[in-house]
mmCIF file of all heavy atoms in Angstrom:
data_model
loop_
_atom_site.group_PDB
_atom_site.id
_atom_site.type_symbol
_atom_site.label_atom_id
_atom_site.label_comp_id
_atom_site.label_asym_id
_atom_site.label_seq_id
_atom_site.Cartn_x
_atom_site.Cartn_y
_atom_site.Cartn_z
ATOM 1 N N CYS O 64 -40.514 7.449 -29.998
ATOM 2 C CA CYS O 64 -39.534 7.324 -31.087
ATOM 3 C C CYS O 64 -39.642 8.495 -32.040
ATOM 4 O O CYS O 64 -40.553 9.318 -31.949
ATOM 5 C CB CYS O 64 -39.676 5.983 -31.784
ATOM 6 S SG CYS O 64 -41.234 5.717 -32.582
ATOM 7 N N HIS O 65 -38.666 8.557 -32.935
ATOM 8 C CA HIS O 65 -38.702 9.516 -34.035
ATOM 9 C C HIS O 65 -39.239 8.756 -35.243
ATOM 10 O O HIS O 65 -38.691 7.705 -35.594
ATOM 11 C CB HIS O 65 -37.294 10.038 -34.354
ATOM 12 C CG HIS O 65 -36.710 10.897 -33.264
ATOM 13 N ND1 HIS O 65 -35.369 11.190 -33.190
ATOM 14 C CD2 HIS O 65 -37.285 11.541 -32.219
ATOM 15 C CE1 HIS O 65 -35.142 11.984 -32.144
ATOM 16 N NE2 HIS O 65 -36.302 12.197 -31.537
ATOM 17 N N ASP O 66 -40.295 9.259 -35.849
ATOM 18 C CA ASP O 66 -40.850 8.632 -37.063
ATOM 19 C C ASP O 66 -40.418 9.434 -38.285
ATOM 20 O O ASP O 66 -40.535 10.673 -38.301
ATOM 21 C CB ASP O 66 -42.384 8.631 -37.020
ATOM 22 C CG ASP O 66 -42.929 7.495 -36.178
ATOM 23 O OD1 ASP O 66 -42.162 6.578 -35.824
ATOM 24 O OD2 ASP O 66 -44.141 7.520 -35.881
ATOM 25 N N VAL O 67 -39.954 8.728 -39.311
ATOM 26 C CA VAL O 67 -39.616 9.372 -40.571
ATOM 27 C C VAL O 67 -40.549 8.776 -41.629
ATOM 28 O O VAL O 67 -40.529 7.561 -41.857
ATOM 29 C CB VAL O 67 -38.134 9.106 -40.956
ATOM 30 C CG1 VAL O 67 -37.772 9.875 -42.223
ATOM 31 C CG2 VAL O 67 -37.208 9.480 -39.798
ATOM 32 N N LEU O 68 -41.406 9.596 -42.194
ATOM 33 C CA LEU O 68 -42.377 9.109 -43.172
ATOM 34 C C LEU O 68 -41.830 9.360 -44.575
ATOM 35 O O LEU O 68 -41.486 10.503 -44.920
ATOM 36 C CB LEU O 68 -43.726 9.820 -43.015
ATOM 37 C CG LEU O 68 -44.307 9.895 -41.595
ATOM 38 C CD1 LEU O 68 -45.735 10.441 -41.624
ATOM 39 C CD2 LEU O 68 -44.293 8.537 -40.905
ATOM 40 N N ILE O 69 -41.724 8.285 -45.358
ATOM 41 C CA ILE O 69 -41.061 8.366 -46.665
ATOM 42 C C ILE O 69 -42.021 7.909 -47.759
ATOM 43 O O ILE O 69 -42.672 6.867 -47.627
ATOM 44 C CB ILE O 69 -39.788 7.481 -46.659
ATOM 45 C CG1 ILE O 69 -38.807 8.015 -45.604
ATOM 46 C CG2 ILE O 69 -39.130 7.447 -48.042
ATOM 47 C CD1 ILE O 69 -37.673 7.077 -45.271
ATOM 48 N N GLU O 77 -41.219 14.316 -40.539
ATOM 49 C CA GLU O 77 -40.531 13.701 -39.401
ATOM 50 C C GLU O 77 -41.329 14.100 -38.180
ATOM 51 O O GLU O 77 -41.562 15.293 -37.953
ATOM 52 C CB GLU O 77 -39.096 14.196 -39.302
ATOM 53 C CG GLU O 77 -38.285 13.787 -40.524
ATOM 54 C CD GLU O 77 -36.787 13.959 -40.329
ATOM 55 O OE1 GLU O 77 -36.282 13.603 -39.243
ATOM 56 O OE2 GLU O 77 -36.151 14.478 -41.252
ATOM 57 N N ASP O 106 -30.371 12.346 -28.359
ATOM 58 C CA ASP O 106 -30.790 13.141 -29.522
ATOM 59 C C ASP O 106 -32.301 13.373 -29.568
ATOM 60 O O ASP O 106 -32.823 13.851 -30.572
ATOM 61 C CB ASP O 106 -30.360 12.416 -30.809
ATOM 62 C CG ASP O 106 -30.941 11.003 -30.870
ATOM 63 O OD1 ASP O 106 -31.388 10.475 -29.823
ATOM 64 O OD2 ASP O 106 -30.954 10.419 -31.967
ATOM 65 N N ARG O 108 -35.798 14.821 -29.756
ATOM 66 C CA ARG O 108 -36.037 16.176 -30.248
ATOM 67 C C ARG O 108 -37.304 16.859 -29.763
ATOM 68 O O ARG O 108 -37.560 17.996 -30.147
ATOM 69 C CB ARG O 108 -36.251 16.160 -31.771
ATOM 70 C CG ARG O 108 -35.239 15.577 -32.594
ATOM 71 C CD ARG O 108 -35.529 16.000 -34.054
ATOM 72 N NE ARG O 108 -34.738 15.128 -34.894
ATOM 73 C CZ ARG O 108 -35.243 14.269 -35.738
ATOM 74 N NH1 ARG O 108 -36.537 14.189 -35.920
ATOM 75 N NH2 ARG O 108 -34.454 13.489 -36.435
ATOM 76 N N LYS O 121 -27.053 6.467 -25.668
ATOM 77 C CA LYS O 121 -27.822 5.822 -26.743
ATOM 78 C C LYS O 121 -28.535 6.855 -27.613
ATOM 79 O O LYS O 121 -28.684 8.024 -27.226
ATOM 80 C CB LYS O 121 -28.888 4.881 -26.143
ATOM 81 C CG LYS O 121 -28.343 3.683 -25.424
ATOM 82 C CD LYS O 121 -27.466 2.777 -26.270
ATOM 83 C CE LYS O 121 -28.203 1.829 -27.163
ATOM 84 N NZ LYS O 121 -28.514 0.550 -26.525
ATOM 85 N N GLU O 122 -28.997 6.382 -28.781
ATOM 86 C CA GLU O 122 -29.833 7.231 -29.634
ATOM 87 C C GLU O 122 -31.291 6.839 -29.452
ATOM 88 O O GLU O 122 -31.584 5.698 -29.054
ATOM 89 C CB GLU O 122 -29.422 7.069 -31.096
ATOM 90 C CG GLU O 122 -28.116 7.778 -31.356
ATOM 91 C CD GLU O 122 -27.587 7.600 -32.768
ATOM 92 O OE1 GLU O 122 -28.219 6.872 -33.555
ATOM 93 O OE2 GLU O 122 -26.540 8.183 -33.038
ATOM 94 N N THR O 123 -32.167 7.767 -29.740
ATOM 95 C CA THR O 123 -33.610 7.496 -29.670
ATOM 96 C C THR O 123 -33.985 6.450 -30.724
ATOM 97 O O THR O 123 -33.384 6.415 -31.804
ATOM 98 C CB THR O 123 -34.365 8.821 -29.935
ATOM 99 O OG1 THR O 123 -33.970 9.751 -28.926
ATOM 100 C CG2 THR O 123 -35.864 8.651 -29.924
ATOM 101 N N THR O 124 -34.977 5.633 -30.413
ATOM 102 C CA THR O 124 -35.498 4.683 -31.401
ATOM 103 C C THR O 124 -36.027 5.458 -32.612
ATOM 104 O O THR O 124 -36.725 6.473 -32.452
ATOM 105 C CB THR O 124 -36.652 3.854 -30.778
ATOM 106 O OG1 THR O 124 -36.131 3.148 -29.645
ATOM 107 C CG2 THR O 124 -37.248 2.879 -31.773
ATOM 108 N N VAL O 125 -35.665 5.002 -33.809
ATOM 109 C CA VAL O 125 -36.145 5.658 -35.037
ATOM 110 C C VAL O 125 -36.831 4.612 -35.915
ATOM 111 O O VAL O 125 -36.290 3.517 -36.128
ATOM 112 C CB VAL O 125 -34.972 6.283 -35.845
ATOM 113 C CG1 VAL O 125 -35.488 6.921 -37.134
ATOM 114 C CG2 VAL O 125 -34.215 7.305 -35.004
ATOM 115 N N PHE O 126 -38.010 4.963 -36.407
ATOM 116 C CA PHE O 126 -38.684 4.138 -37.411
ATOM 117 C C PHE O 126 -38.800 4.911 -38.716
ATOM 118 O O PHE O 126 -39.196 6.074 -38.711
ATOM 119 C CB PHE O 126 -40.104 3.755 -36.958
ATOM 120 C CG PHE O 126 -40.132 2.537 -36.074
ATOM 121 C CD1 PHE O 126 -40.103 2.667 -34.699
ATOM 122 C CD2 PHE O 126 -40.175 1.269 -36.626
ATOM 123 C CE1 PHE O 126 -40.113 1.553 -33.879
ATOM 124 C CE2 PHE O 126 -40.186 0.138 -35.809
ATOM 125 C CZ PHE O 126 -40.154 0.279 -34.437
ATOM 126 N N GLU O 127 -38.453 4.236 -39.806
ATOM 127 C CA GLU O 127 -38.777 4.782 -41.126
ATOM 128 C C GLU O 127 -40.019 4.045 -41.611
ATOM 129 O O GLU O 127 -40.080 2.813 -41.523
ATOM 130 C CB GLU O 127 -37.623 4.538 -42.097
ATOM 131 C CG GLU O 127 -36.405 5.402 -41.783
ATOM 132 C CD GLU O 127 -35.212 5.124 -42.704
ATOM 133 O OE1 GLU O 127 -35.259 4.159 -43.495
ATOM 134 O OE2 GLU O 127 -34.218 5.865 -42.604
ATOM 135 N N ALA O 128 -40.988 4.803 -42.096
ATOM 136 C CA ALA O 128 -42.217 4.190 -42.628
ATOM 137 C C ALA O 128 -42.280 4.499 -44.116
ATOM 138 O O ALA O 128 -42.303 5.672 -44.509
ATOM 139 C CB ALA O 128 -43.427 4.761 -41.910
ATOM 140 N N TYR O 129 -42.250 3.452 -44.927
ATOM 141 C CA TYR O 129 -42.280 3.613 -46.390
ATOM 142 C C TYR O 129 -43.706 3.399 -46.866
ATOM 143 O O TYR O 129 -44.269 2.326 -46.657
ATOM 144 C CB TYR O 129 -41.346 2.606 -47.060
ATOM 145 C CG TYR O 129 -39.898 2.866 -46.731
ATOM 146 C CD1 TYR O 129 -39.328 2.382 -45.553
ATOM 147 C CD2 TYR O 129 -39.106 3.620 -47.595
ATOM 148 C CE1 TYR O 129 -38.004 2.643 -45.239
ATOM 149 C CE2 TYR O 129 -37.778 3.882 -47.290
ATOM 150 C CZ TYR O 129 -37.238 3.390 -46.107
ATOM 151 O OH TYR O 129 -35.928 3.652 -45.802
ATOM 152 N N VAL O 143 -44.435 -0.042 -45.053
ATOM 153 C CA VAL O 143 -43.379 -0.968 -44.611
ATOM 154 C C VAL O 143 -42.582 -0.211 -43.561
ATOM 155 O O VAL O 143 -42.199 0.943 -43.774
ATOM 156 C CB VAL O 143 -42.487 -1.377 -45.805
ATOM 157 C CG1 VAL O 143 -41.218 -2.052 -45.319
ATOM 158 C CG2 VAL O 143 -43.265 -2.288 -46.743
ATOM 159 N N LEU O 144 -42.370 -0.857 -42.425
ATOM 160 C CA LEU O 144 -41.686 -0.193 -41.313
ATOM 161 C C LEU O 144 -40.282 -0.748 -41.140
ATOM 162 O O LEU O 144 -40.077 -1.968 -41.199
ATOM 163 C CB LEU O 144 -42.434 -0.457 -40.010
ATOM 164 C CG LEU O 144 -43.675 0.369 -39.673
ATOM 165 C CD1 LEU O 144 -44.253 -0.087 -38.343
ATOM 166 C CD2 LEU O 144 -43.345 1.862 -39.624
ATOM 167 N N LYS O 145 -39.319 0.142 -40.924
ATOM 168 C CA LYS O 145 -37.955 -0.287 -40.585
ATOM 169 C C LYS O 145 -37.517 0.418 -39.315
ATOM 170 O O LYS O 145 -37.619 1.654 -39.229
ATOM 171 C CB LYS O 145 -36.990 0.068 -41.717
ATOM 172 C CG LYS O 145 -37.259 -0.729 -42.983
ATOM 173 C CD LYS O 145 -36.249 -0.437 -44.067
ATOM 174 C CE LYS O 145 -36.619 -1.244 -45.314
ATOM 175 N NZ LYS O 145 -35.779 -0.918 -46.466
ATOM 176 N N ARG O 146 -37.015 -0.355 -38.365
ATOM 177 C CA ARG O 146 -36.452 0.250 -37.147
ATOM 178 C C ARG O 146 -34.975 0.480 -37.427
ATOM 179 O O ARG O 146 -34.213 -0.472 -37.553
ATOM 180 C CB ARG O 146 -36.627 -0.710 -35.965
ATOM 181 C CG ARG O 146 -36.193 -0.110 -34.635
ATOM 182 C CD ARG O 146 -36.075 -1.138 -33.537
ATOM 183 N NE ARG O 146 -34.939 -2.040 -33.770
ATOM 184 C CZ ARG O 146 -34.558 -3.006 -32.934
ATOM 185 N NH1 ARG O 146 -35.215 -3.223 -31.821
ATOM 186 N NH2 ARG O 146 -33.525 -3.788 -33.219
ATOM 187 N N VAL O 147 -34.602 1.738 -37.566
ATOM 188 C CA VAL O 147 -33.225 2.016 -37.970
ATOM 189 C C VAL O 147 -32.323 2.365 -36.787
ATOM 190 O O VAL O 147 -31.110 2.498 -36.941
ATOM 191 C CB VAL O 147 -33.141 3.110 -39.067
ATOM 192 C CG1 VAL O 147 -33.763 2.615 -40.352
ATOM 193 C CG2 VAL O 147 -33.806 4.401 -38.638
ATOM 194 N N SER O 148 -32.915 2.529 -35.613
ATOM 195 C CA SER O 148 -32.124 2.744 -34.405
ATOM 196 C C SER O 148 -33.006 2.322 -33.229
ATOM 197 O O SER O 148 -34.233 2.451 -33.296
ATOM 198 C CB SER O 148 -31.746 4.232 -34.349
ATOM 199 O OG SER O 148 -31.477 4.629 -33.049
ATOM 200 N N ALA O 149 -32.357 1.770 -32.172
ATOM 201 C CA ALA O 149 -33.166 1.290 -31.037
ATOM 202 C C ALA O 149 -32.567 1.760 -29.727
ATOM 203 O O ALA O 149 -31.387 1.538 -29.461
ATOM 204 C CB ALA O 149 -33.233 -0.233 -31.049
ATOM 205 N N CYS O 150 -33.369 2.411 -28.914
ATOM 206 C CA CYS O 150 -32.927 2.807 -27.574
ATOM 207 C C CYS O 150 -33.002 1.580 -26.657
ATOM 208 O O CYS O 150 -33.381 0.481 -27.085
ATOM 209 C CB CYS O 150 -33.783 3.959 -27.062
ATOM 210 S SG CYS O 150 -33.014 4.803 -25.664
ATOM 211 N N VAL O 171 -42.800 -0.476 -29.198
ATOM 212 C CA VAL O 171 -42.802 -0.506 -30.670
ATOM 213 C C VAL O 171 -41.524 -1.127 -31.228
ATOM 214 O O VAL O 171 -41.521 -1.699 -32.314
ATOM 215 C CB VAL O 171 -42.984 0.910 -31.283
ATOM 216 C CG1 VAL O 171 -44.422 1.374 -31.143
ATOM 217 C CG2 VAL O 171 -42.018 1.927 -30.662
ATOM 218 N N GLY O 172 -40.427 -1.010 -30.483
ATOM 219 C CA GLY O 172 -39.136 -1.444 -31.026
ATOM 220 C C GLY O 172 -38.512 -2.573 -30.234
ATOM 221 O O GLY O 172 -37.287 -2.694 -30.187
ATOM 222 N N ARG O 199 -42.863 -8.342 -32.537
ATOM 223 C CA ARG O 199 -41.994 -7.742 -33.568
ATOM 224 C C ARG O 199 -40.574 -8.282 -33.475
ATOM 225 O O ARG O 199 -40.016 -8.406 -32.383
ATOM 226 C CB ARG O 199 -41.959 -6.218 -33.432
ATOM 227 C CG ARG O 199 -43.161 -5.565 -34.034
ATOM 228 C CD ARG O 199 -43.013 -4.053 -34.041
ATOM 229 N NE ARG O 199 -44.130 -3.474 -34.775
ATOM 230 C CZ ARG O 199 -44.317 -2.186 -34.948
ATOM 231 N NH1 ARG O 199 -43.456 -1.316 -34.433
ATOM 232 N NH2 ARG O 199 -45.343 -1.740 -35.640
ATOM 233 N N ASP O 200 -40.000 -8.541 -34.650
ATOM 234 C CA ASP O 200 -38.600 -8.924 -34.748
ATOM 235 C C ASP O 200 -38.012 -7.994 -35.816
ATOM 236 O O ASP O 200 -38.767 -7.488 -36.652
ATOM 237 C CB ASP O 200 -38.540 -10.398 -35.187
ATOM 238 C CG ASP O 200 -37.188 -10.992 -34.889
ATOM 239 O OD1 ASP O 200 -36.375 -10.316 -34.246
ATOM 240 O OD2 ASP O 200 -36.955 -12.133 -35.331
ATOM 241 N N PHE O 201 -36.715 -7.773 -35.780
ATOM 242 C CA PHE O 201 -36.153 -6.750 -36.664
ATOM 243 C C PHE O 201 -35.020 -7.339 -37.493
ATOM 244 O O PHE O 201 -34.129 -8.010 -36.937
ATOM 245 C CB PHE O 201 -35.687 -5.542 -35.828
ATOM 246 C CG PHE O 201 -36.805 -5.019 -34.971
ATOM 247 C CD1 PHE O 201 -36.975 -5.470 -33.654
ATOM 248 C CD2 PHE O 201 -37.742 -4.140 -35.491
ATOM 249 C CE1 PHE O 201 -38.037 -5.041 -32.878
ATOM 250 C CE2 PHE O 201 -38.815 -3.698 -34.711
ATOM 251 C CZ PHE O 201 -38.962 -4.156 -33.407
ATOM 252 N N ASP O 202 -35.081 -7.108 -38.802
ATOM 253 C CA ASP O 202 -34.047 -7.641 -39.679
ATOM 254 C C ASP O 202 -32.685 -7.081 -39.258
ATOM 255 O O ASP O 202 -32.540 -5.871 -39.091
ATOM 256 C CB ASP O 202 -34.365 -7.236 -41.130
ATOM 257 C CG ASP O 202 -33.409 -7.869 -42.109
ATOM 258 O OD1 ASP O 202 -32.256 -7.358 -42.225
ATOM 259 O OD2 ASP O 202 -33.777 -8.869 -42.729
ATOM 260 N N PRO O 203 -31.678 -7.974 -39.041
ATOM 261 C CA PRO O 203 -30.387 -7.479 -38.542
ATOM 262 C C PRO O 203 -29.683 -6.537 -39.518
ATOM 263 O O PRO O 203 -28.859 -5.713 -39.113
ATOM 264 C CB PRO O 203 -29.560 -8.754 -38.339
ATOM 265 C CG PRO O 203 -30.336 -9.870 -38.937
ATOM 266 C CD PRO O 203 -31.737 -9.419 -39.189
ATOM 267 N N VAL O 204 -30.020 -6.600 -40.809
ATOM 268 C CA VAL O 204 -29.331 -5.737 -41.782
ATOM 269 C C VAL O 204 -30.045 -4.393 -41.931
ATOM 270 O O VAL O 204 -29.454 -3.336 -41.706
ATOM 271 C CB VAL O 204 -29.210 -6.452 -43.161
ATOM 272 C CG1 VAL O 204 -28.558 -5.531 -44.185
ATOM 273 C CG2 VAL O 204 -28.461 -7.759 -42.999
ATOM 274 N N ASP O 205 -31.338 -4.418 -42.286
ATOM 275 C CA ASP O 205 -31.986 -3.119 -42.555
ATOM 276 C C ASP O 205 -33.064 -2.736 -41.533
ATOM 277 O O ASP O 205 -33.699 -1.696 -41.668
ATOM 278 C CB ASP O 205 -32.570 -3.086 -43.980
ATOM 279 C CG ASP O 205 -33.740 -4.048 -44.152
ATOM 280 O OD1 ASP O 205 -34.066 -4.783 -43.194
ATOM 281 O OD2 ASP O 205 -34.340 -4.052 -45.244
ATOM 282 N N GLY O 206 -33.266 -3.572 -40.499
ATOM 283 C CA GLY O 206 -34.225 -3.223 -39.448
ATOM 284 C C GLY O 206 -35.685 -3.440 -39.823
ATOM 285 O O GLY O 206 -36.573 -3.047 -39.055
ATOM 286 N N ALA O 207 -35.942 -4.053 -40.998
ATOM 287 C CA ALA O 207 -37.344 -4.254 -41.409
ATOM 288 C C ALA O 207 -38.093 -5.044 -40.339
ATOM 289 O O ALA O 207 -37.574 -6.025 -39.801
ATOM 290 C CB ALA O 207 -37.398 -4.984 -42.751
ATOM 291 N N VAL O 208 -39.313 -4.589 -40.050
ATOM 292 C CA VAL O 208 -40.120 -5.243 -39.010
ATOM 293 C C VAL O 208 -40.693 -6.540 -39.567
ATOM 294 O O VAL O 208 -41.324 -6.553 -40.626
ATOM 295 C CB VAL O 208 -41.272 -4.309 -38.566
ATOM 296 C CG1 VAL O 208 -42.213 -5.030 -37.602
ATOM 297 C CG2 VAL O 208 -40.719 -3.048 -37.923
#
Side-chain angles (χ1 to χ4, degrees):
C64 63
H65 292 164
D66 279 347
V67 184
L68 311 188
I69 298 167
E77 297 194 43
D106 57 343
R108 304 194 195 116
K121 293 301 280 271
E122 286 177 357
T123 300
T124 300
V125 178
F126 275 94
E127 289 177 352
Y129 294 84
V143 167
L144 279 179
K145 293 184 182 174
R146 186 193 69 177
V147 294
S148 156
C150 197
V171 285
R199 280 187 173 179
D200 198 7
F201 305 93
D202 186 282
V204 177
D205 67 357
V208 174

